[in-house]
Amino acid sequence: MASRRSAYNEDIAKDIVKFVEQYGLSDFGGATIAELCKHVCISESAFYDWRLHKEGLAEKIEKAKRKYRNSLEKRMVRALVTAAEGYEWVERKVRKDGAGNVLSIEEKTRHEAVNVGAAIFLLTNVAPERWQNVTNQNIKAAINVEQITGMRIE
């Protein structure tokens, strides 16, 4: 394990920013501050102190968090599109003997069906003017009570 760094410098700032860009922070489902500090070999108290007092560090961290969030969003949209369209992959089964020598390799193409829920989600969010989840219908009707009951209401 690398030794703990105690003096702030631009190399540490770059390491912090690079880590946040790659792994994010917990507010977007990413790494914790403890994981970040362990990775860049600083104490949590040093991190919080530097973030407050070192000019520009807090802004660089926020920019890195936005970059991570945008990257995460792109990856999730890509995954959602893949699920909505369905996909295929090759499954490989490798049989080996006791010494680890390969005896045979069996390959099968597998198909993942279209995920209808993902497709609906995409369509209703990408083109809401054309695709809507209709869960509520407003019905307007006039009722002629006299015609139904034979009673006149005034």
Side-chain angles (χ1 to χ4, degrees):
M1 180 176 193
S3 63
R4 191 167 295 262
R5 302 189 245 184
S6 58
Y8 178 83
N9 61 52
E10 282 305 310
D11 287 337
I12 293 175
K14 286 178 185 176
D15 289 346
I16 291 169
V17 168
K18 183 178 177 182
F19 180 90
V20 174
E21 286 175 350
Q22 187 172 2
Y23 301 105
L25 289 177
S26 57
D27 48 353
F28 295 119
T32 64
I33 299 297
E35 291 167 330
L36 163 64
C37 293
K38 182 178 180 181
H39 182 79
V40 298
C41 301
I42 61 172
S43 68
E44 288 184 51
S45 60
F47 170 79
Y48 288 114
D49 183 55
W50 295 346
R51 189 176 70 177
L52 285 174
H53 298 104
K54 299 300 179 184
E55 188 174 331
L57 182 60
E59 293 79 16
K60 288 176 184 176
I61 291 169
E62 288 305 312
K63 184 177 178 182
K65 285 167 53 175
R66 286 191 302 274
K67 188 173 180 178
Y68 172 78
R69 185 188 70 211
N70 291 337
S71 170
L72 177 65
E73 181 181 346
K74 286 177 185 176
R75 291 191 317 269
M76 292 302 99
V77 167
R78 224 177 342 233
L80 192 56
V81 168
T82 299
E85 293 176 335
Y87 57 95
E88 60 182 46
W89 74 97
V90 176
E91 176 183 67
R92 289 181 185 87
K93 291 184 180 179
V94 179
R95 284 189 34 215
K96 297 181 179 182
D97 63 17
N101 299 316
V102 175
L103 298 175
S104 67
I105 299 174
E106 181 183 330
E107 292 187 351
K108 286 185 182 178
T109 300
R110 300 288 188 180
H111 303 275
E112 187 65 36
V114 169
N115 182 319
V116 176
I120 290 169
F121 180 83
L122 280 172
L123 290 171
T124 57
N125 285 283
V126 171
E129 65 285 351
R130 291 192 312 272
W131 299 92
Q132 298 176 13
N133 272 331
V134 180
T135 57
N136 189 1
Q137 295 180 354
N138 293 326
I139 300 172
K140 294 182 181 180
I143 300 174
N144 184 330
V145 175
E146 182 179 0
Q147 188 178 15
I148 296 172
T149 63
M151 298 172 33
R152 185 179 190 115
I153 299 178
E154 297 193 29

